[in-house]
Amino acid sequence: MESIQAVTYPVHFQEKGYTALSNLVTTKNYSTIFILVDENTFEHCYPKFIPNFDTDKPIEVIEIESGEINKNLETCTGVWNAITELGGDRKSLLITLGGGVITDLGGFVASCFKRGIDFVNIPTTLLSMVDASVGGKTGVDLGVLKNQIGLFANPEMVIVDNAYLSTVEEREIKSGTAEIIKYGLTYDIKLFNEVKQNKYLKIKDLIFRSIEIKNEVVLQDPKEQSLRKILNFGHTLGHAIESFYLESEDKENLTHGEAIAIGMVCESYISSKLLGFPSEKVDEVKEVVLSIYNKTNLLQEDFSKIMDLLKHDKKNVNGQVNFVLLNNYEDFKIDCKVPEDLIVESMDFYNN
Amino acid sequence: MESIQAVTYPVHFQEKGYTALSNLVTTKNYSTIFILVDENTFEHCYPKFIPNFDTDKPIEVIEIESGEINKNLETCTGVWNAITELGGDRKSLLITLGGGVITDLGGFVASCFKRGIDFVNIPTTLLSMVDASVGGKTGVDLGVLKNQIGLFANPEMVIVDNAYLSTVEEREIKSGTAEIIKYGLTYDIKLFNEVKQNKYLKIKDLIFRSIEIKNEVVLQDPKEQSLRKILNFGHTLGHAIESFYLESEDKENLTHGEAIAIGMVCESYISSKLLGFPSEKVDEVKEVVLSIYNKTNLLQEDFSKIMDLLKHDKKNVNGQVNFVLLNNYEDFKIDCKVPEDLIVESMDFYNN
């Protein structure tokens, strides 16, 4: 499979990635290689990774606890202390091996350690492969507010190897599927149709095309002035719902994909009301979402808390929530203002 | 006084700065202006600043506790939470009003909030004026390790107004003087001679020339590959000594300038042993330093702890400490390896 050239770095697929990584390490002559994992990726992915990694440099593994709840500054401090104690310097390399928590947090940790060391991302979940591989977003949560602290920083390279997907649960695969649906609805409806027809056999191609789309989008609009905002489809409300479940101790957390799948249903509904997005397509989006994800029961009593969280969305300016909505499939409109009661109505639509 | 154009932003002097700031706020149409202060700058500098600042935008003051001990991630988290609670968004502006702790920490906070908001630095101490005005370094300490966490990020502008110097104690003025001495020894000996002759009456000119030098250096070598390393003269050992006093609970902290003044004496001595820097000039450096700063008694028993801290210096690579040393005044050599016992010997030289 061909590599994809992101702004300043390549995304390599399968075996090709490990050769490129070994070459990078030799060329840059790193002092120490740190590998950031969680307990799951250390158990399941590290044994797949390490035989492929050909280097004589010292390797140190740093393990953090898995889960969005640990994507915070305390965990960063722990990693920074570990790197420091293990003698990390400006010529160290950090390899992240894991899902979005590991790649986002690891990129942030690397970018701020001694004002920046190199890092390489190896996403091991479908979500992190299709979402975090390109774009240069790094960061951690502040309390329940997702990715509130972070910066744009590019890795030296990304390695996408779908062998890692055998290590994750079906629920995680589904979480990543939501992003593929998003690329489909906003940019290339073929992806949506393939997911609809449950063509998971083609997962390798779905991943490649998703990364290709995200890369095209990011190259055209790195700082999210216009086109890149399509990547937020379903995320504006979806993030608020995800944060709400994360902070509700009596409720089970949603995966990122589960939350934004709900967000896409709601935002499709809002699109139909504000922009005339065809209502049969709204129904189609809802149907596909419900064929993949368990129905979540959004409670009326929780709506106001979700609305509060919505107001803290990073994309907001002057207290105004900005949505990207659909005129039609592959046809979007950015910076849409949505009345509060229509947002509430859209959650009712999802529920019923 | 003319403004100085740094890489991507201007440094304005005196009244001119406030006009430029008011214009910036109007042009950029910020949503909210946050002003970061500590208890001292809120009491003494804020009242000087605010009558000069002409804007109709909402202003929120965020106060942190003064002191290097608070230049850490916990303080950052507090500021990020405050900005969030006060409704900060991507169109917010953060103005830092204070010494190096405020400007370094504030720049880091702004650069990482929602992946980066604009900031303006208004240094109020001599040290932060001559050292932190240009160069784009932001960051905080990790435990006792200074500036271990941070990144390169440029403010929208810097305002240098020496009216603020009347608000700080003599010890703080002396702390900044050490950086002026550094610019003198490495780049323009006239500055050293003026400090030697105690020409503090010319403080405005000393500040201007110091910023001019730092800017020339940083423009030529923004990423510290070669020339910029002269800015570390006295700092390699000086930082370790500063960290040691910071972590020693039974010892009074040194100011940054006091620590690097010791560092400059030691590194001048090392220069004489390794590069033939004239010994009468070593004596001259020591004499000027001791004429300004109280003698610190470095204890033999503490040398090993200082050496340990030295090994964590950000500039180290492969465990090797790199010094910038002097062949002569205005003539330096970078990346010098120094034997451990010569470092110890240099501290003895300072002591005796």
Side-chain angles (χ1 to χ4, degrees):
Chain A
M1 211 167 231
E2 282 303 297
S3 304
I4 292 177
Q5 182 60 36
V7 195
T8 61
Y9 60 94
V11 180
H12 295 298
F13 295 87
Q14 328 306 342
E15 311 73 39
K16 211 171 174 177
Y18 304 108
T19 314
L21 176 62
S22 302
N23 289 342
L24 176 79
V25 168
T26 306
T27 312
K28 289 265 197 156
N29 192 24
Y30 293 112
S31 54
T32 309
I33 317 289
F34 293 96
I35 305 182
L36 186 67
V37 295
D38 62 30
E39 71 279 10
N40 299 319
T41 63
F42 184 58
E43 186 181 344
H44 302 294
C45 301
Y46 187 76
K48 289 182 193 289
F49 166 71
I50 206 73
N52 287 304
F53 182 34
D54 179 25
T55 184
D56 55 1
K57 298 287 174 189
I59 292 178
E60 300 282 358
V61 175
I62 298 177
E63 183 182 310
I64 64 173
E65 256 186 272
S66 66
E68 183 77 28
I69 195 94
N70 298 305
K71 189 179 172 183
N72 57 34
L73 288 157
E74 290 71 46
T75 305
C76 293
T77 303
V79 179
W80 282 319
N81 280 326
I83 296 176
T84 303
E85 281 156 25
L86 293 164
D89 60 33
R90 283 180 171 172
K91 288 287 284 177
S92 300
L93 172 72
L94 181 71
I95 297 175
T96 67
L97 184 68
V101 172
I102 292 279
T103 56
D104 284 7
L105 181 147
F108 179 68
V109 160
S111 309
C112 295
F113 184 71
K114 295 177 189 263
R115 299 205 186 88
I117 60 171
D118 284 356
F119 64 104
V120 164
N121 286 340
I122 308 182
T124 60
T125 64
L126 182 58
L127 178 61
S128 60
M129 287 177 189
V130 298
D131 186 40
S133 289
V134 291
K137 288 186 174 179
T138 74
V140 294
D141 304 339
L142 184 70
V144 298
L145 299 174
K146 283 178 62 71
N147 304 322
Q148 190 84 343
I149 306 306
L151 45 101
F152 288 97
N154 287 319
E156 296 303 299
M157 70 171 60
V158 173
I159 301 175
V160 174
D161 181 352
N162 61 303
Y164 295 117
L165 293 180
S166 65
T167 69
V168 299
E169 292 172 8
E170 198 194 346
R171 196 177 173 199
E172 274 305 328
I173 300 285
K174 287 183 172 180
S175 182
T177 304
E179 298 289 346
I180 299 176
I181 294 175
K182 179 191 74 180
Y183 295 122
L185 296 176
T186 56
Y187 201 88
D188 182 354
I189 197 65
K190 283 201 294 296
L191 279 174
F192 178 66
N193 290 332
E194 296 202 356
V195 170
K196 188 181 171 186
Q197 294 157 40
N198 200 12
K199 291 196 183 158
Y200 276 104
L201 290 174
K202 292 192 171 177
I203 191 76
K204 231 169 165 173
D205 298 330
L206 292 179
I207 294 170
F208 185 82
R209 180 67 186 137
S210 294
I211 295 175
E212 203 173 46
I213 291 173
K214 179 148 187 190
N215 192 43
E216 281 171 29
V217 168
V218 168
L219 282 178
Q220 281 181 57
D221 178 22
K223 290 288 172 136
E224 204 166 317
Q225 306 294 309
S226 53
L227 177 63
R228 186 167 178 166
K229 294 189 182 185
I230 66 167
L231 302 179
N232 299 323
F233 180 67
H235 283 61
T236 309
L237 190 48
H239 267 167
I241 291 170
E242 186 180 2
S243 294
F244 172 72
Y245 278 82
L246 192 62
E247 74 172 3
S248 302
E249 288 175 4
D250 57 334
K251 293 186 165 64
E252 205 200 340
N253 292 343
L254 297 179
T255 64
H256 178 70
E258 285 161 358
I260 67 156
I262 300 172
M264 287 191 287
V265 173
C266 295
E267 295 179 17
S268 295
Y269 177 84
I270 294 169
S271 299
S272 73
K273 296 296 168 188
L274 290 184
L275 303 180
F277 178 61
S279 63
E280 66 275 16
K281 292 185 176 173
V282 181
D283 293 336
E284 187 182 24
V285 172
K286 185 174 176 183
E287 189 187 315
V288 171
V289 162
L290 292 181
S291 74
I292 299 174
Y293 307 96
N294 290 333
K295 181 83 173 280
T296 299
N297 191 18
L298 303 174
L299 300 177
Q300 289 277 350
E301 68 202 55
D302 298 333
F303 285 2
S304 67
K305 285 181 200 153
I306 293 171
M307 296 301 293
D308 279 349
L309 287 164
L310 192 59
K311 288 169 191 154
H312 283 296
D313 191 277
K314 274 192 307 302
K315 278 88 188 174
N316 298 343
V317 167
N318 286 318
Q320 183 70 58
V321 186
N322 284 310
F323 285 81
V324 52
L325 298 176
L326 297 173
N327 295 306
N328 210 327
Y329 287 156
E330 302 180 2
D331 179 8
F332 61 91
K333 186 173 177 216
I334 62 169
D335 293 337
C336 302
K337 319 293 178 209
V338 179
E340 282 205 22
D341 46 1
L342 183 55
I343 299 172
V344 168
E345 198 180 305
S346 77
M347 292 193 276
D348 277 332
F349 169 78
Y350 169 81
N351 268 343
N352 298 309
Chain B
M1 211 168 232
E2 281 304 296
S3 303
I4 292 177
Q5 182 60 35
V7 195
T8 62
Y9 60 93
V11 181
H12 295 298
F13 294 86
Q14 329 304 344
E15 310 74 39
K16 210 170 173 177
Y18 304 108
T19 313
L21 176 62
S22 303
N23 289 342
L24 175 79
V25 168
T26 306
T27 312
K28 289 262 196 157
N29 192 24
Y30 293 112
S31 54
T32 308
I33 317 288
F34 293 95
I35 305 182
L36 186 67
V37 295
D38 63 30
E39 72 279 10
N40 299 319
T41 63
F42 185 58
E43 186 180 344
H44 302 295
C45 301
Y46 188 77
K48 287 181 193 290
F49 166 70
I50 207 73
N52 286 304
F53 182 33
D54 179 25
T55 185
D56 55 1
K57 299 287 174 188
I59 292 177
E60 301 281 358
V61 175
I62 298 176
E63 183 181 310
I64 64 174
E65 255 184 274
S66 64
E68 183 77 28
I69 195 93
N70 298 304
K71 189 180 173 184
N72 56 35
L73 288 157
E74 291 70 48
T75 305
C76 293
T77 303
V79 178
W80 282 319
N81 281 325
I83 295 176
T84 302
E85 280 155 26
L86 293 165
D89 60 33
R90 284 180 170 173
K91 287 288 285 176
S92 299
L93 172 71
L94 181 70
I95 297 174
T96 67
L97 184 69
V101 172
I102 292 280
T103 56
D104 284 8
L105 181 147
F108 180 68
V109 161
S111 309
C112 295
F113 184 72
K114 295 175 189 264
R115 300 205 186 88
I117 60 171
D118 285 355
F119 64 104
V120 165
N121 286 340
I122 309 182
T124 60
T125 63
L126 182 57
L127 178 61
S128 59
M129 289 177 188
V130 298
D131 186 40
S133 290
V134 291
K137 287 187 176 180
T138 74
V140 294
D141 304 338
L142 184 70
V144 297
L145 298 174
K146 282 178 62 70
N147 304 321
Q148 189 85 343
I149 307 305
L151 44 102
F152 286 98
N154 287 319
E156 296 304 298
M157 70 172 61
V158 173
I159 302 173
V160 174
D161 181 352
N162 61 304
Y164 295 117
L165 293 181
S166 66
T167 69
V168 298
E169 292 171 9
E170 198 195 345
R171 195 177 173 199
E172 274 304 329
I173 300 285
K174 287 182 173 181
S175 181
T177 304
E179 298 289 345
I180 299 176
I181 293 174
K182 179 191 74 180
Y183 295 122
L185 296 176
T186 56
Y187 202 87
D188 181 355
I189 197 64
K190 283 202 294 296
L191 279 173
F192 177 66
N193 290 331
E194 295 204 355
V195 170
K196 188 180 171 187
Q197 293 158 41
N198 200 13
K199 290 196 183 158
Y200 276 103
L201 289 174
K202 291 190 171 178
I203 191 74
K204 232 171 166 171
D205 298 330
L206 292 179
I207 294 170
F208 185 83
R209 179 66 186 138
S210 295
I211 295 175
E212 203 174 42
I213 291 173
K214 178 149 188 189
N215 192 44
E216 283 171 28
V217 168
V218 168
L219 282 179
Q220 281 182 57
D221 178 22
K223 289 290 169 132
E224 205 165 318
Q225 306 294 310
S226 52
L227 177 64
R228 186 166 178 168
K229 294 188 182 185
I230 66 168
L231 301 178
N232 299 322
F233 180 67
H235 284 61
T236 309
L237 189 48
H239 268 167
I241 292 171
E242 186 179 2
S243 294
F244 172 72
Y245 278 81
L246 192 61
E247 74 172 1
S248 302
E249 288 177 4
D250 58 335
K251 292 185 165 63
E252 205 200 337
N253 292 343
L254 297 180
T255 64
H256 178 71
E258 285 161 357
I260 65 156
I262 299 172
M264 288 192 287
V265 173
C266 295
E267 295 180 14
S268 294
Y269 177 83
I270 294 169
S271 299
S272 72
K273 295 297 168 187
L274 291 185
L275 304 179
F277 178 61
S279 64
E280 66 275 15
K281 292 185 176 173
V282 181
D283 293 336
E284 187 182 24
V285 172
K286 184 173 175 183
E287 189 187 315
V288 171
V289 162
L290 292 181
S291 75
I292 300 174
Y293 307 96
N294 290 332
K295 181 85 172 280
T296 298
N297 192 19
L298 302 175
L299 300 178
Q300 291 276 351
E301 68 202 54
D302 298 333
F303 285 2
S304 67
K305 286 182 199 150
I306 293 171
M307 295 302 293
D308 280 349
L309 287 164
L310 191 60
K311 289 168 192 156
H312 284 297
D313 191 278
K314 275 192 306 304
K315 278 90 190 172
N316 297 345
V317 167
N318 287 318
Q320 183 70 58
V321 186
N322 284 310
F323 284 81
V324 53
L325 297 177
L326 297 173
N327 295 305
N328 210 326
Y329 287 156
E330 301 180 5
D331 180 8
F332 61 90
K333 187 175 176 214
I334 63 170
D335 294 336
C336 301
K337 320 295 177 206
V338 179
E340 280 205 23
D341 47 1
L342 183 55
I343 299 172
V344 168
E345 197 181 306
S346 78
M347 292 192 277
D348 278 330
F349 169 78
Y350 169 81
N351 266 342
N352 299 310

